[in-house]
């Protein structure tokens, strides 16, 4: 029986009861958990901006209960597996880079570029699949960010190293780029709920460049490979050659891009 039905109605108490009921309703609205799956990508195949239903108590119990065997795997959504294929694509791109450095065969580095593009496809597609069940995943946002770091952070840096950015300064700049991507994705997970939303609940902008924009650098490296501009033939050559501080000036694009990833003032409108 509802509490208000047990309360005797006296003069002037109806307004208090109404206020209490409205107050409970407002409290429910304020405490309702937000949708969990949010994409850190610049683009999306998902044109529906209506927020997904958040995970309920039963979903949380399935992950935390010790009575359910293999609960982690059994409770992953189809969209989560697609997100993990993004991570797999990024890892295979790295493996292809290692094969290129050990064999010198150009088709391996070309394969590395292909798998990054494949990871981009999975990164776009997971949100669309999540709509099929109209329910958010508890781990969707975290998986998405971790997979993006592999495919659009570590993998591009690995390609750069494989094609000749191998001096100490080059590697430090590539490390800076990866760490900027890591920091940018962590900030996204923390602050995404505070960014202004449109009427559909979608964030109006990204803070800093989204990490998939590193594909512009990947596209340039693919062009260099197609022209044979690798190792000693990288564009703009090598400066301070023979010294500890030798580096390829073109590696500065990774430094600039890393700075843009973590920028707080750079706001990119969502398409």
């Amino acid at each position: 029986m509802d509490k208000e039905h047990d309360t005797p109605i006296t003069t002037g108490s109806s307004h208090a009861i109404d206020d209490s009921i409205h107050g409970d309703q407002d409290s429910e609205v304020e405490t309702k958990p937000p949708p969990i799956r949010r994409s850190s990508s610049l683009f999306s195949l998902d044109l529906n901006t209506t927020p997904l239903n958040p995970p309920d108590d039963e979903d949380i119990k399935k992950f935390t209960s010790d009575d359910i065997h293999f609960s982690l795997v059994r409770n992953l959504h189809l969209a989560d597996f697609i997100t993990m294929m993004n991570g797999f694509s990024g890892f295979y791109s790295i493996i292809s880079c290692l094969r290129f450095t050990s064999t010198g065969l150009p088709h391996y580095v070309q394969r590395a570029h292909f798998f990054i593009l494949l990871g981009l496809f999975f990164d776009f597609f997971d949100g669309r699949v999540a709509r099929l069940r109209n329910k958010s995943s508890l781990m969707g946002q975290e998986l998405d960010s971790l997979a993006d770091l592999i495919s659009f952070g570590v993998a591009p840096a690995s390609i750069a190293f494989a094609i000749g950015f191998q001096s100490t300064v080059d590697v430090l700049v590539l490390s800076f780029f990866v760490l900027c991507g890591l920091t940018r994705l962590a900030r996204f997970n923390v602050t995404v709920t505070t960014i202004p939303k449109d009427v559909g609940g979608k964030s109006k902008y990204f803070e800093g460049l989204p990490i998939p924009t590193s594909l512009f650098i990947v596209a340039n490296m693919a062009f260099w490979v197609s022209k044979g501009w690798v190792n000693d033939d990288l564009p703009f050559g090598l400066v301070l050659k023979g010294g500890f501080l030798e580096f390829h000036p073109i590696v500065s694009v990774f430094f600039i891009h890393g700075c843009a990833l973590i920028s707080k003032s750079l706001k990119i409108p969502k398409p």
Side-chain angles (χ1 to χ4, degrees):
M1 183 178 292
D2 295 333
K3 182 178 179 180
E4 59 265 29
H5 292 166
D6 292 334
T7 305
I9 299 179
T10 58
T11 302
S13 64
S14 60
H15 295 294
I17 294 172
D18 290 340
D19 291 341
S20 175
I21 294 173
H22 291 309
D24 291 341
Q25 291 174 343
D26 292 340
S27 176
E28 290 177 0
V29 172
E30 292 175 358
T31 57
K32 184 179 179 180
I36 299 299
R37 177 174 283 277
R38 304 178 184 91
S39 177
S40 58
S41 296
L42 179 60
F43 308 106
S44 176
L45 291 177
D46 187 9
L47 301 178
N48 186 354
T49 60
T50 305
L52 297 176
N53 295 327
D56 53 29
D57 292 339
E58 186 65 24
D59 293 323
I60 298 174
K61 181 179 178 181
K62 288 178 181 178
F63 270 102
T64 59
S65 175
D66 293 332
D67 299 329
I68 303 176
H69 299 290
F70 303 106
S71 59
L72 178 63
V73 176
R74 290 169 59 186
N75 292 304
L76 289 174
H77 295 194
L78 178 59
D80 295 332
F81 285 105
I82 293 176
T83 301
M84 287 192 287
M85 289 302 297
N86 175 15
F88 164 79
S89 299
F91 175 72
Y92 206 93
S93 174
I94 297 169
I95 293 298
S96 297
C97 291
L98 295 175
R99 287 175 172 166
F100 173 71
T101 56
S102 63
T103 65
L105 299 176
H107 71 271
Y108 282 124
V109 74
Q110 292 167 354
R111 185 179 299 174
H113 289 98
F114 166 77
F115 273 98
I116 290 181
L117 291 176
L118 188 62
L120 183 68
F121 167 77
F122 289 124
D123 188 39
F124 290 170
F125 197 58
D126 57 4
R128 186 68 174 177
V129 172
R131 294 282 175 192
L132 296 177
R133 296 185 71 248
N134 192 32
K135 197 167 188 179
S136 297
S137 164
L138 277 169
M139 298 199 303
Q141 178 176 305
E142 305 301 330
L143 282 175
D144 188 77
S145 292
L146 293 170
D148 283 356
L149 178 63
I150 299 172
S151 294
F152 312 123
V154 180
S158 299
I159 292 176
F161 180 86
I163 66 174
F165 293 93
Q166 298 178 2
S167 74
T168 300
V169 176
D170 289 343
V171 173
L172 289 176
V173 172
L174 295 177
S175 300
F176 172 80
F177 166 76
V178 172
L179 293 177
C180 286
L182 173 63
T183 305
R184 188 257 181 272
L185 290 168
R187 184 182 67 186
F188 172 83
N189 288 353
V190 171
T191 64
V192 65
T193 57
T194 66
I195 296 176
K197 307 293 191 297
D198 59 20
V199 292
K202 180 180 177 181
S203 299
K204 292 183 178 180
Y205 57 79
F206 288 104
E207 286 184 341
L209 285 179
I211 194 169
T213 55
S214 64
L215 268 85
F216 292 109
I217 300 178
V218 172
N220 277 299
M221 292 191 293
F223 177 73
W224 301 341
V225 171
S226 69
K227 294 294 186 179
W229 299 344
V230 297
N231 297 320
D232 294 336
D233 297 320
L234 282 169
F236 302 106
L238 183 69
V239 300
L240 302 178
K241 189 174 182 179
F244 176 75
L245 296 179
E246 67 176 5
F247 70 99
H248 294 86
I250 196 66
V251 79
S252 60
V253 299
F254 283 93
F255 178 81
I256 295 171
H257 197 89
C259 292
L261 289 175
I262 60 175
S263 172
K264 181 73 175 176
S265 58
L266 181 61
K267 293 178 171 56
I268 309 298
K270 282 196 172 184

